[in-house]
């Protein structure tokens, strides 16, 4: 513990020394960071005496604590001075823009003598003359012109930092980490995602693609904040918002029997057809066939809807996939029939972790994607 304390003390000392060296002219009596030894000594002596009265502390540890406290307070005073310097720059720039002290004091809502003192203190700190003072108007010296340019740059950076922090807090800027299955409805991309992008065009994206179980694993590992998955899945520990239901389709290359039907078919029309199915839908499909009193001929089981479509495109059988999967592969030979059976309906769902707070970016995305299209 003492070694850790010594290491922390050394780091604090480095920060304090850097702040001291960054001052151009060294100690300045008007600087609140200077001549603080007495105050600091009294403060940490009080703390150490209090500790000694309650616990037994080694002499070396006491010294480390004293030094650490000193540097911490010193650093805070330096930060306070930095804030004061930024305010002085604002005063200086305002005086330049307004052309005289009186107009600048009026704009800043402070007394004219107080503003004059601030400008004088700034000149004393920098050890340069910033203005040529005329009877009605003041003009910049060469040093003043340099400071005016640099001060504007600093104030612009300050405003930029503030805006970026505000944007990040409000969700207008940042990175959305989202996991998604490959087969999602085009409406979700063209409407929800596009609307979100147009409203929050400074958001960047990190997309993780995979099958539903993989997306759920990424969510529980907190690699992503939001998942887009497809039913069926275990909802334990998840907040779930379901989007519209979609039917399964039969995709095939050549089949005269299926060609005779219109845009939709029944499960019975697939009796004795060599079926190519995605493993995650195996139970769903078999159950639906059994309800229709059809014994399915499962020719191939695989782990991706794209594989099912490619096999069907090669003429090896009939693929059963969600309708949103039909454009996943370039398969000009395929024909499609909607399977008219409610038990084969699936839904895309938006999932987040239960009892977990979302970033502003993720919250805005969730609100945009799940809102009523009519609103």
């Amino acid at each position: 513990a003492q070694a850790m304390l010594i290491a922390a003390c050394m780091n604090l000392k480095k920060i304090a020394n850097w702040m001291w060296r960054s001052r151009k002219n060294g100690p300045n009596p008007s600087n609140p960071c200077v001549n603080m030894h007495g105050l600091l000594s009294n403060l940490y002596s009080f703390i150490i005496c209090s500790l000694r009265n309650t616990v037994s502390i080694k002499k070396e540890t006491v010294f480390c604590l004293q030094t650490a406290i000193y540097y911490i307070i010193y650093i805070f005073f330096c930060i306070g001075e930095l804030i004061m310097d930024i305010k002085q720059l604002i005063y200086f720039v305002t005086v330049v823009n307004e052309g005289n002290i009186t107009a600048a004091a009026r704009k800043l809502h402070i007394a004219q003598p107080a503003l004059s003192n601030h400008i004088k203190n700034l000149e004393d700190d920098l050890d340069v003359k910033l203005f040529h003072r005329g009877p009605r108007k003041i003009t910049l010296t060469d040093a003043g012109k340099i400071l005016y340019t640099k001060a504007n740059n600093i104030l612009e950076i300050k405003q930029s930092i503030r805006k970026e922090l505000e944007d990040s807090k409000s969700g207008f800027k940042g990175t959305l980490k989202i996991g998604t299955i490959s087969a999602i409805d085009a409406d979700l991309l063209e409407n929800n995602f596009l609307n979100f992008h147009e409203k929050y065009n400074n958001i960047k994206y990190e997309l993780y693609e995979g099958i539903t179980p993989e997306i759920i694993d990424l969510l529980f590992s907190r690699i992503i904040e939001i998942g887009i998955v497809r039913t069926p899945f275990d909802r334990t520990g998840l907040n779930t918002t379901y989007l519209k239901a979609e039917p399964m389709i039969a995709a095939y290359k050549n089949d005269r029997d299926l060609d005779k039907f219109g845009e939709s078919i029944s499960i019975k029309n697939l009796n004795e057809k060599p079926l190519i199915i995605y493993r995650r839908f195996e139970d769903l499909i078999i159950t639906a066939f059994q309800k229709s009193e059809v014994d399915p001929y499962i020719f191939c089981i695989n782990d991706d809807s794209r594989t099912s479509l490619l096999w069907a495109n090669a003429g090896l059988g009939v693929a059963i996939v969600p309708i949103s999967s039909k454009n996943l592969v370039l398969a000009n030979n395929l024909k499609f029939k909607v399977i008219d059976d409610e038990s084969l309906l699936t839904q895309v769902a938006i999932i987040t972790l239960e009892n977990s707070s979302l970033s502003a970016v993720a919250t805005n995305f969730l609100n945009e994607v799940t809102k009523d299209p009519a609103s």
Side-chain angles (χ1 to χ4, degrees), residues 4 66 147 151-152 216 223 280-281 331 365 367:
M4 291 174 64
Q66 288 175 330
L147 180 62
N152 275 314
I216 293 174
I223 294 172
R280 258 195 8 98
F281 298 138
F365 176 81
N367 292 336

Side-chain angles (χ1 to χ4, degrees), residues 9 69 73-74 85 88 92 115 119 122 125 157 169 201 216 238 241 244 251 255 267-268 310 317 330 346 350:
C9 180
I69 293 167
I73 298 173
Y74 177 82
D85 285 346
Q88 282 183 317
F92 168 73
L115 180 55
I119 297 300
L122 181 59
D125 280 345
I157 291 171
K169 186 177 179 181
N201 57 8
I216 293 174
L238 300 173
T241 302
K244 67 179 182 180
D255 192 299
I267 284 179
K268 289 186 177 182
L310 289 171
L330 184 62
T346 65
I350 311 295

Side-chain angles (χ1 to χ4, degrees), residues 273-291:
K273 301 294 182 184
L275 303 178
I276 305 166
I277 65 174
Y278 177 19
R279 194 181 312 278
R280 258 195 8 98
F281 298 138
E282 181 180 3
D283 291 341
L284 182 71
I285 291 170
I286 290 176
T287 300
F289 271 69
Q290 289 174 344
K291 283 182 180 179

Side-chain angles (χ1 to χ4, degrees), residues 5 34 39 45-46 71 128 131 141 144 158 175 191 207 216-217 230 260 264 268 300 319 347:
L5 182 59
V34 181
L39 174 61
S45 293
F46 170 77
Y71 285 127
V128 293
F131 295 105
T141 64
K158 174 179 174 285
T175 300
N191 294 326
L207 288 181
I216 293 174
D217 287 343
R230 183 182 297 280
K260 291 185 299 185
S264 63
K268 289 186 177 182
C300 173
Q347 286 178 283

Side-chain angles (χ1 to χ4, degrees), residues 148-196:
Y148 181 68
T149 301
K150 299 298 183 183
N152 275 314
N153 291 341
I154 292 170
L155 296 177
E156 285 175 9
I157 291 171
K158 174 179 174 285
Q159 284 300 111
S160 175
I161 291 170
R162 182 185 294 276
K163 186 178 185 307
E164 284 194 30
L165 291 174
E166 288 175 352
D167 286 347
S168 177
K169 186 177 179 181
S170 62
F172 280 93
K173 202 167 189 177
T175 300
L176 177 63
K177 294 184 178 182
I178 188 167
T180 178
I181 54 174
S182 54
I184 58 174
D185 189 31
D187 286 343
L188 186 61
L189 279 175
E190 294 173 3
N191 294 326
N192 302 83
F193 269 87
L194 184 59
N195 289 341
F196 178 77

Side-chain angles (χ1 to χ4, degrees), residues 112-125:
Q112 182 177 332
L115 180 55
S116 296
N117 287 334
H118 280 296
I119 297 300
K120 184 179 182 303
N121 289 338
L122 181 59
E123 288 180 320
D124 290 343
D125 280 345

Side-chain angles (χ1 to χ4, degrees), residues 39-70:
L39 174 61
L40 297 176
S41 179
N42 290 337
L43 180 58
Y44 65 57
S45 293
F46 170 77
I47 295 172
I48 297 304
C49 287
S50 299
L51 288 171
R52 277 178 173 160
N53 289 334
T54 55
V55 296
S56 176
I57 301 178
K58 291 182 179 180
K59 184 176 179 180
E60 295 84 356
T61 306
V62 171
F63 175 76
C64 285
L65 282 170
Q66 288 175 330
T67 309
I69 293 167
Y70 176 88

Side-chain angles (χ1 to χ4, degrees), residues 230-286:
R230 183 182 297 280
T231 58
F233 59 89
D234 183 1
R235 297 189 305 160
T236 305
L238 300 173
N239 296 316
T240 306
T241 302
Y242 293 102
L243 304 183
K244 67 179 182 180
E246 60 178 279
M248 294 278 194
I249 57 172
Y252 64 97
K253 182 178 180 181
N254 293 309
D255 192 299
R256 292 181 180 178
D257 292 335
L258 295 179
D259 285 341
K260 291 185 299 185
F261 300 102
E263 293 183 356
S264 63
I265 58 174
S266 69
I267 284 179
K268 289 186 177 182
N269 298 138
L270 294 172
N271 187 32
E272 296 184 353
K273 301 294 182 184
L275 303 178
I276 305 166
I277 65 174
Y278 177 19
R279 194 181 312 278
R280 258 195 8 98
F281 298 138
E282 181 180 3
D283 291 341
L284 182 71
I285 291 170
I286 290 176

